Amino acid sequence: MVAERQKNQLELAFGPGGRGEALRPGSEGTEAAAVESRTESSALTARLMEEVCEWNNLKVALRRVERNKGGPGVDGMTVEELRGYLRESWSEIREELLSGRYRPQAVKRVEIPKPAGGVRKLGIPTVLDRFIQQAILQVLQPLWDPTFSEFSFGFRPGRSAHDAVAKAQEYVVEGHDWVVDIDLEKFFDRVNHDRLMAEVARRVEDKRLLRLIRVFLSAGVIANGLVSPTDEGTPQGGPLSPLLSNLVLDELDRELERRGHRFARYADDCNIYVRSERAGLRVMDSVSRFITRRLKLQVNREKSSVRRIQQGQFLGFGFRRGKDGGFRRTIASHALTRMKQRVRELTGRVKGRSLEQVIEVLAIYLRGWLGYFGFCETPSVLKELDGWIRRRLRALLWKQWKRSTARYRRLRALGLRHVLAWMTAGSNRGPWAMSRNKGMNIALPIAYFDALGLPRLSLS
């Protein structure tokens, strides 16, 4: 046993790193295979901690933590240092886990500004604790996820925000065009530990794992050098937090199902769809009472509302009635505003940066943005954004060229004829007006930006 443990320790620490590589010779297991190896019978045993510490599970967990990167926790250890630390200490850590003596460190409090104002409080566990939480997640999620509601979409394998939005669209097309938008006030900070652990205990028999999850919840938070106890909440930032939050809100899902409501939930963002304002107000009142009295959570009355579907948004998307009478997915106005603000930041006057360098950074943002908001059904909006972005870049070049002589020389180099280049370069209009100038558009056509690698948001 000792020899096998030492072998595992060495293989874990010295196995080849990097994305997609196995950590020991002859082990070609994938993350999917590791997940599929869990069976429902595991829930009926009291030895889940052995599954957490099983070699293939740890291999996947280490790879996930290294891939996700992230900053160090309160101990200062980086993701890059984790593998070396495990090489030296894994035997002792494993023994503590299996004996129920492992104690996680407090999480580091980090405040991230929200796009709409305010801050989101994140709790960053140490990389070792993230590794252990990830290993636990990989054992519990395959057991719990099949029991969750089909109308829950957040943090679940094979489900996405797009699925949630598509489900909401189905309800709207059916005629449920009033939405009850319930905002849970500081949900991740308000989860009741006793209620949560009672739900976990219904699904987990292993006392060691129950104890470990409890100490992860109550490990405390360090902010400004001071340690504060955590009597409630599941701090955002740890791999296990999303699964636990789904467990808490599964009771809400089941209640909404029991009442026959049409709803879609993504994490703590839950919308219920009804046919009239009167029905919406009635649902808002009764569901809010259930959340407060049964789940011991608080509803933010100021942010919660009952409104027409055209007046709201869900996960960054809205719905608009088309000419054919149906409802199409649109990009919510606040999402467009944030996107434009970010593009302005990336295309503002930046000294010492060429257009190619600006586009290189901008392209990364645009591809990520399109990967999510390309799910909209309003190509005209994407086409307008394409034109607006190219105008931003033309205006940037106009500012960089500064003097009329330099502008003339640049325009000629781009193939503009003498007279048009001379007239364009001599204009005293501002950069934004010049971004629509005929000469600038001929010298800097769409194909010019395509060649520099600027992604198009629209296919047309």
Side-chain angles (χ1 to χ4, degrees):
M1 179 64 73
V2 173
E4 181 182 354
R5 183 182 306 159
Q6 291 175 342
K7 178 184 177 183
N8 285 345
Q9 180 182 6
L10 292 176
E11 287 178 332
L12 179 65
F14 290 108
R19 184 172 182 173
E21 295 179 320
L23 295 184
R24 62 174 179 176
S27 178
E28 298 294 331
T30 64
E31 293 174 10
V35 167
E36 290 173 0
S37 68
R38 318 296 177 200
T39 63
E40 190 63 33
S41 62
S42 299
L44 304 178
T45 74
R47 298 182 61 79
L48 288 180
M49 189 60 78
E50 276 71 17
E51 287 200 44
V52 171
C53 295
E54 192 269 332
W55 166 253
N56 285 327
N57 188 56
L58 296 173
K59 178 181 65 176
V60 174
L62 181 58
R63 190 160 58 226
R64 280 279 179 89
V65 171
E66 290 178 331
R67 182 187 306 166
N68 293 338
K69 301 185 184 297
V74 295
D75 62 354
M77 184 189 301
T78 65
V79 171
E80 293 74 18
E81 295 171 328
L82 176 59
R83 194 175 285 261
Y85 179 78
L86 292 174
R87 179 185 60 197
E88 301 294 333
S89 307
W90 176 244
S91 289
E92 293 79 5
I93 296 169
R94 182 176 185 274
E95 186 62 34
E96 289 179 356
L97 289 170
L98 293 177
S99 64
R101 294 183 290 106
Y102 183 82
R103 290 294 179 270
Q105 297 189 59
V107 300
K108 182 169 68 174
R109 173 71 77 206
V110 176
E111 294 184 349
I112 306 296
K114 292 183 179 181
V119 296
R120 175 177 288 107
K121 295 181 179 180
L122 300 182
I124 302 179
T126 65
V127 292
L128 175 60
D129 287 338
R130 294 208 294 270
F131 167 66
I132 294 172
Q133 283 194 35
Q134 180 65 39
I136 295 172
L137 172 68
Q138 292 166 187
V139 170
L140 295 184
Q141 189 164 51
L143 299 175
W144 295 2
D145 192 77
T147 71
F148 290 155
S149 169
E150 63 175 301
F151 306 107
S152 164
F153 298 91
F155 310 121
R156 298 184 61 188
R159 290 169 171 259
S160 68
H162 289 171
D163 296 325
V165 174
K167 176 57 69 174
Q169 187 177 17
E170 288 181 20
Y171 299 144
V172 176
V173 170
E174 291 171 357
H176 300 83
D177 54 356
W178 284 83
V179 58
V180 181
D181 185 356
I182 298 179
D183 184 272
L184 299 179
E185 186 172 5
K186 298 180 179 179
F187 166 71
F188 287 93
D189 297 329
R190 296 280 173 80
V191 172
N192 183 282
H193 285 182
D194 291 334
R195 285 191 56 81
L196 171 56
M197 289 308 303
E199 290 298 320
V200 175
R202 291 190 180 98
R203 298 166 179 255
V204 172
E205 296 182 12
D206 193 322
K207 303 300 182 183
R208 298 163 300 175
L209 187 52
L210 288 172
R211 189 180 304 112
L212 182 57
I213 293 174
R214 167 69 83 167
V215 294
F216 268 123
L217 290 173
S218 58
V221 172
I222 290 183
N224 300 319
L226 299 176
V227 180
S228 302
T230 48
D231 300 321
E232 60 180 4
T234 58
Q236 298 181 74
L240 199 54
S241 180
L243 179 64
L244 296 177
S245 67
N246 270 335
L247 182 61
V248 170
L249 292 176
D250 186 61
E251 188 172 358
L252 172 61
D253 297 339
R254 297 308 180 186
E255 179 65 16
L256 295 179
E257 288 180 358
R258 188 186 67 79
R259 298 183 184 188
H261 290 313
R262 291 164 173 80
F263 72 98
R265 182 178 66 79
Y266 190 93
D268 59 336
D269 200 340
C270 182
N271 279 3
I272 306 169
Y273 298 85
V274 296
R275 292 184 180 273
S276 68
E277 182 179 19
R278 181 178 179 182
L281 293 172
R282 185 172 63 251
V283 169
M284 171 69 78
D285 185 60
S286 63
V287 173
S288 295
R289 284 201 308 271
F290 175 83
I291 292 173
T292 302
R293 296 176 182 178
R294 183 67 177 269
L295 301 184
K296 307 301 182 184
L297 297 171
Q298 295 184 23
V299 175
N300 189 325
R301 294 285 183 175
E302 294 182 0
K303 294 184 178 180
S304 300
S305 63
V306 177
R307 54 178 178 259
R308 282 279 192 184
I309 193 67
Q310 296 94 328
Q311 300 170 337
Q313 67 85 28
F314 184 44
L315 302 175
F317 291 91
F319 301 100
R320 186 179 67 193
R321 190 181 292 277
K323 295 180 180 179
D324 58 357
F327 282 89
R328 296 183 178 181
R329 295 185 298 271
T330 64
I331 304 172
S333 59
H334 75 275
L336 286 174
T337 299
R338 288 204 302 264
M339 183 266 196
K340 287 189 171 184
Q341 180 57 37
R342 182 57 179 155
V343 171
R344 289 188 185 97
E345 294 170 359
L346 295 175
T347 58
R349 188 190 302 223
V350 183
K351 294 183 179 179
R353 295 185 65 187
S354 66
L355 179 64
E356 291 80 1
Q357 291 172 320
V358 171
I359 288 179
E360 183 179 1
V361 176
L362 178 62
I364 295 173
Y365 171 74
L366 292 179
R367 291 191 189 101
W369 187 89
L370 183 62
Y372 185 76
F373 287 103
F375 189 60
C376 74
E377 297 175 314
T378 50
S380 61
V381 174
L382 299 179
K383 188 174 183 178
E384 289 176 7
L385 286 172
D386 275 333
W388 178 79
I389 291 169
R390 288 191 291 268
R391 285 193 65 186
R392 291 286 308 176
L393 295 174
R394 292 188 187 105
L396 173 64
L397 279 180
W398 186 258
K399 287 184 286 187
Q400 288 182 345
W401 292 344
K402 294 182 180 180
R403 296 180 177 84
S404 59
T405 53
R407 290 167 177 167
Y408 173 80
R409 188 170 60 253
R410 296 279 189 173
L411 291 170
R412 288 288 288 155
L414 289 167
L416 212 59
R417 291 179 298 174
H418 163 70
V419 174
L420 186 55
W422 178 77
M423 293 177 60
T424 302
S427 174
N428 60 1
R429 302 180 71 186
W432 187 241
M434 290 305 296
S435 69
R436 298 185 65 179
N437 176 272
K438 177 181 178 181
M440 286 290 286
N441 276 264
I442 294 175
L444 300 168
I446 296 175
Y448 176 82
F449 295 106
D450 288 344
L452 291 179
L454 180 69
R456 292 199 199 185
L457 303 180
S458 173
L459 297 178
S460 59

